[in-house]
Amino acid sequence: MAQPTGVYVTYSAAGLREDLENVIYDISPTETQISLKTTLVSGTLDAVSKAGRQQELAYQMSKRAKELKRDMETSLVGINQSKTAMSADSTVRKLGSLSSWVTTNASVGSGGTAAGSGGAGTARTDGTQRTFTETLLKASILLAYDNGADTKYLMMAPAQKQTFSSFVGVGGASGVSNFNDVADQRIIGGMDVYVSDFGEMAVVPNRFQRSRDVWLLDPEYYGVAYLRPFEQKEVASTSDGEQRAIIAEYTLVVKNEKALGAVYDLS
């Protein structure tokens, strides 16, 4: 979010304290990011009778809240973004996305790199894309396990989820997941659990992430931290319209990047 002119901001203030977790982990300082959505509703529209809702302003704000959550999801895991510190009053702060954290357990394509030092906040360099295969996935799971990770979830874009569902597995054949369940007359075309040599992993599709990334996740070691949780604010009205804003200031917290992993640069 761009910063209005003439606002007294944190960069200019003295005596600020770093955001601290109650539990001490080996983490690097993070940057918070502000996301904002606004809506403007005329007084007449809010007053007339409408199908399925009473107040138009409340209805529009609920829609803006959903949009804001989607924007946040994209910023956290859906883009390759470096963290941007506030170097001047006019600088727009940005959080480091998940790809700027995962360093140790990363499989990359030719010419690509993982993030710098875990938590340094530097966006990775994308490499040559390659086909998502079970061989790539198993190698990444092994690497993560050897480095102490206990992967609980595999998160991927919808197209990669379909590719995953065609993996052979142990003793199977290509397309083994597309089998008939005669008992209730269903065709099963997708798989939602991967049983690796090191435990079961739930497979989660995410429409907001990049298709070229597959994440190996343990929710104990990452999450969203809020400096300012979701809040609504009245904004200067225009003529007969009433304007509201919904704002959140947040960041991605990774408590130990070695607990996470990624298969990057997939086609």
Side-chain angles (χ1 to χ4, degrees):
M1 186 189 82
Q3 178 179 292
T5 57
V7 178
Y8 185 59
V9 296
T10 52
Y11 180 75
S12 304
L16 298 180
R17 182 173 181 262
E18 282 279 0
D19 179 29
L20 299 179
E21 293 281 311
N22 288 329
V23 180
I24 297 175
Y25 299 91
D26 183 15
I27 60 175
S28 300
T30 59
E31 297 292 337
T32 58
Q33 179 172 311
I34 301 172
S35 290
L36 166 73
K37 289 288 181 180
T38 61
T39 191
L40 177 62
V41 175
S42 72
T44 301
L45 179 57
D46 217 24
V48 298
S49 297
K50 296 168 288 294
R53 57 191 184 276
Q54 291 185 331
Q55 292 189 326
E56 186 67 23
L57 183 60
Y59 173 65
Q60 292 299 329
M61 285 303 295
S62 68
K63 292 174 65 176
R64 299 295 90 77
K66 291 179 181 179
E67 291 176 5
L68 184 61
K69 290 177 181 178
R70 291 178 177 182
D71 288 351
M72 291 173 61
E73 180 80 5
T74 300
S75 295
L76 292 164
V77 301
I79 56 178
N80 183 26
Q81 176 175 281
S82 299
K83 74 177 181 182
T84 302
M86 201 169 199
S87 58
D89 282 352
S90 59
T91 304
V92 177
R93 282 180 282 107
K94 294 181 180 179
L95 60 84
S97 64
L98 186 57
S99 59
S100 73
W101 285 92
V102 178
T103 303
T104 305
N105 307 319
S107 169
V108 301
S110 177
T113 65
S117 173
T122 304
R124 64 174 300 267
T125 300
D126 287 334
T128 301
Q129 290 177 275
R130 60 257 170 91
T131 301
F132 183 31
T133 64
E134 189 173 9
T135 299
L136 284 175
L137 178 61
K138 292 179 72 173
S140 298
I141 291 172
L142 174 61
L143 176 63
Y145 183 81
D146 283 343
N147 284 306
D150 186 13
T151 303
K152 301 294 195 306
Y153 294 93
L154 303 174
M155 189 169 72
M156 58 195 71
Q160 301 298 358
K161 174 63 167 63
Q162 289 188 319
T163 299
F164 167 84
S165 292
S166 68
F167 286 175
V168 173
V170 177
S174 181
V176 69
S177 61
N178 299 307
F179 62 86
N180 294 317
D181 187 339
V182 180
D184 57 7
Q185 298 183 335
R186 292 184 300 169
I187 295 177
I188 310 299
M191 291 296 182
D192 299 322
V193 176
Y194 188 74
V195 182
S196 76
D197 292 302
F198 315 108
E200 292 189 1
M201 302 165 191
V203 185
V204 182
N206 186 341
R207 62 170 62 94
F208 301 109
Q209 75 173 74
R210 301 199 303 172
S211 184
R212 66 187 299 143
D213 304 327
V214 168
W215 302 108
L216 285 63
L217 303 174
D218 182 347
E220 182 180 349
Y221 291 98
Y222 74 96
V224 181
Y226 290 90
L227 182 60
R228 287 187 292 165
F230 292 95
E231 61 176 332
Q232 290 190 26
K233 287 190 174 183
E234 293 186 7
V235 184
S237 298
T238 302
S239 187
D240 186 41
E242 185 174 354
Q243 188 168 204
R244 295 282 178 86
I246 183 168
I247 303 171
E249 186 168 0
Y250 61 99
T251 193
L252 175 65
V253 174
V254 173
K255 300 168 184 177
N256 189 337
E257 66 89 16
K258 289 185 178 182
L260 311 176
V263 187
Y264 289 129
D265 304 321
L266 302 175
S267 57

